[in-house]
Amino acid sequence: MEFDLIVIGSGPGGYVAAIRASQLGMKTAVVERSELGGICLNWGCIPTKALLKSAQAYHYAVSGETYGFKADNVTADLESIVTRSREVSETMNKGITFLFKKNNVTVIEGTGSITADKKVSVSSLDGTCTVYDTKNIIIATGARPVSLPFAPVDGDKIWCYRQALTPDKLPASMVVIGSGAIGTEFAFFYRTLGTDVTIVEYVDRILPVEDDDTSAQVSRSLRKAGIKVMTSAAVKSVEKGDLCKVEVETKKGTEYLEAEVVLSAVGVVPNTENIGLEALGIELNRGRIAVDAHYKTAVDGIYAIGDVIATPALAHVASAEAVHCVEHIAGLNPEPVNYSYIPGCTYISPEVASAGMTERAAKEKGLEYKTAKFPFTASGKATAAGEKDGFVKIISDVLTDKVLGVHLVGANVSEMIGPMVALMKNGITAAQLAKTIFPHPTMSEGIMEAAAAIHSEAIHF
């Protein structure tokens, strides 16, 4: 059987590529060795958000007096919380199956690799191997968690996100290595349910990719929630026993932490081994595949998208790359993916959302810029909701007044960043944003107020 396109991997890059290709008239297949939807739908973005929603609901229940009601004997049922999370993932997985059937995408179960003559060989679980002909191949095999040499994941005492998603019981204590989105989200979830949590971060701030003001606000919020935060701290060793003994080197010297489990959340490595790249002469840079602006490798007809290339390892980035890549293969003239305004979100409480430049990046580029912040303590909606922690921060170019970056910390701000990406992409200025009418009362009004503050015209603070 010959295809116009075979996609290896069915995560947010792979399944989007397959569906878009089918829409454009290509005979398309997807090779998947595990669950349809990849890590995001099954072991990442989606089930994590289900856990966090349960934690939020639990927090509201135990804090009922703040909102004028009392709920007695509120307990967290971990088994039910985890079951709900898995059911959510299963629902989304079935959705991908439906979409593939709707769009006539063929699913090939097994592990895919590329042969020397640019065919796709698929090894199934029963040991059989089938070779498929195709005109084009997209590699979308994603990534896996980094396993630290001094703290290899064993699934018992040292966890990665998979174990953190499906615990048998609630650990009494946890040390989280790494304070990116994965580490902070799991730290927040477990602390909300009662675990004693410590975050250890190598650099001088948590959420290192975010703006410094965001990092500082989140650090305060996590500490307020009872999470111990250690920055400029390096884990040197983990000794396993009834409790894990974690050696941490800090500016003040060596400290030893004890915890029931250690969660390793220090990043991911691309799944680029054993898929035939070397034999084809496809270049790798630190395990990532080199591609051009249309995601084509050095070999004609072979493309790569998502976590296997050197772009931000985010589901929505992989999906955007997938659409561009397929439309290019189809002979269209797609707009390049604009990496200057990639949104990023962290779903703790308060949430974090951002797009564009941080202030640190603007300084490093030598730009002349202005910043302004609107605190949610001045927001009527935030006050009414009892969610006053956080702010809106806007960074604008002094010469052009164009908005360079937007940084949000607050309740539900992940729902606010998308429109800002569209506006920045189209060159919105702070003055234009300040004159835009936002609905009242909403958290989004803070964007208008922060933009107005750039020109010293803010009304409500």
Side-chain angles (χ1 to χ4, degrees):
M1 183 182 296
E2 182 175 354
F3 294 93
D4 295 314
L5 172 66
I6 292 181
V7 183
I8 305 176
S10 71
Y15 83 74
V16 169
I19 292 171
R20 184 66 182 123
S22 181
Q23 289 174 344
L24 292 170
M26 298 184 206
K27 185 177 181 181
T28 307
V30 166
V31 179
E32 177 55 62
R33 65 184 180 184
S34 188
E35 304 101 332
L36 293 180
I39 294 298
C40 177
L41 267 67
N42 297 283
W43 298 100
C45 317
I46 303 304
T48 306
K49 303 312 161 283
L51 293 181
L52 291 167
K53 186 62 180 181
S54 292
Q56 183 188 56
Y58 174 70
H59 171 72
Y60 281 141
V62 298
S63 306
E65 291 189 11
T66 301
Y67 298 92
F69 67 90
K70 294 182 180 180
D72 296 327
N73 302 318
V74 178
T75 59
D77 184 340
L78 183 64
E79 182 178 356
S80 295
I81 289 172
V82 171
T83 296
R84 176 180 179 273
S85 172
R86 301 316 307 158
E87 288 173 348
V88 168
S89 285
E90 289 169 12
T91 298
M92 300 305 296
N93 176 277
K94 291 175 182 176
I96 300 300
T97 301
F98 167 77
L99 289 171
F100 279 170
K101 288 180 178 178
K102 175 184 175 183
N103 290 280
N104 298 313
V105 174
T106 299
V107 177
I108 304 171
E109 296 181 358
T111 300
S113 61
I114 306 170
T115 66
D117 54 356
K118 297 194 296 183
K119 297 183 179 183
V120 175
S121 174
V122 181
S123 300
S124 62
L125 292 176
D126 63 10
T128 60
C129 183
T130 306
V131 177
Y132 297 88
D133 292 315
T134 182
K135 297 174 184 175
N136 299 282
I137 300 167
I138 294 179
I139 302 166
T141 47
R144 63 187 184 277
V146 171
S147 190
L148 296 169
F150 54 82
V153 173
D154 62 9
D156 179 26
K157 289 295 184 180
I158 302 178
W159 293 358
C160 69
Y161 57 76
R162 283 186 178 250
Q163 291 79 41
L165 279 167
T166 56
D168 294 328
K169 65 183 182 67
L170 189 70
S173 53
M174 172 185 287
V175 168
V176 179
I177 306 175
S179 73
I182 293 174
T184 52
E185 286 180 1
F186 277 121
F188 176 78
F189 169 74
Y190 278 97
R191 179 57 197 150
T192 301
L193 297 191
T195 300
D196 183 8
V197 178
T198 300
I199 298 176
V200 181
E201 172 54 57
Y202 180 75
V203 302
D204 62 353
R205 62 198 184 281
I206 64 169
L207 293 179
V209 301
E210 297 291 347
D211 188 82
D212 288 9
D213 284 345
T214 296
S215 295
Q217 173 66 59
V218 172
S219 183
R220 290 191 296 270
S221 297
L222 292 178
R223 288 186 167 99
K224 181 179 176 181
I227 297 172
K228 182 179 180 182
V229 178
M230 300 176 67
T231 54
S232 299
V235 175
K236 292 299 183 181
S237 66
V238 177
E239 181 182 323
K240 293 186 291 185
D242 291 337
L243 293 177
C244 293
K245 188 175 183 180
V246 183
E247 180 186 4
V248 182
E249 185 178 291
T250 71
K251 290 181 177 180
K252 296 180 180 180
T254 300
E255 293 187 32
Y256 292 92
L257 309 174
E258 288 189 334
E260 189 173 327
V261 296
V262 173
L263 173 59
S264 179
V266 292
V268 296
V269 292
N271 294 319
T272 51
E273 307 93 343
N274 304 316
I275 54 177
L277 302 183
E278 296 81 3
L280 289 164
I282 292 177
E283 181 185 352
L284 295 176
N285 183 5
R286 295 185 179 181
R288 287 178 165 78
I289 300 170
V291 294
D292 68 10
H294 304 296
Y295 310 104
K296 186 173 80 68
T297 70
V299 178
D300 285 341
I302 300 179
Y303 300 78
I305 58 173
D307 294 0
V308 296
I309 66 174
T311 54
L314 296 166
H316 43 283
V317 172
S319 296
E321 292 168 348
V323 171
H324 177 101
C325 180
V326 168
E327 291 183 351
H328 172 74
I329 292 171
L332 304 180
N333 186 29
E335 180 181 342
V337 175
N338 189 334
Y339 293 99
S340 297
Y341 302 110
I342 296 296
C345 300
T346 304
Y347 299 85
I348 55 177
S349 183
E351 285 186 348
V352 174
S354 64
M357 277 190 193
T358 63
E359 187 172 353
R360 183 181 290 237
K363 285 180 181 177
E364 290 172 352
K365 287 182 176 293
L367 298 178
E368 191 175 358
Y369 66 91
K370 293 182 69 175
T371 70
K373 287 201 297 185
F374 173 79
F376 281 127
T377 51
S379 164
K381 177 64 180 294
T383 302
E387 304 278 6
K388 295 193 291 184
D389 285 350
F391 56 81
V392 175
K393 178 176 178 177
I394 289 181
I395 302 170
S396 68
D397 187 294
V398 168
L399 299 178
T400 65
D401 197 40
K402 286 185 178 180
V403 176
L404 301 175
V406 176
H407 303 277
L408 312 173
V409 182
N412 302 314
V413 295
S414 62
E415 304 296 341
M416 293 162 51
I417 196 64
M420 293 308 304
V421 173
L423 291 171
M424 285 191 287
K425 182 180 173 183
N426 286 282
I428 190 81
T429 66
Q432 290 170 331
L433 198 55
K435 301 304 181 184
T436 300
I437 299 175
F438 284 77
H440 174 78
T442 62
M443 301 288 285
S444 65
E445 287 176 292
I447 294 172
M448 174 187 67
E449 290 281 359
I454 290 284
H455 297 291
S456 302
E457 297 174 359
I459 300 296
H460 293 96
F461 75 106

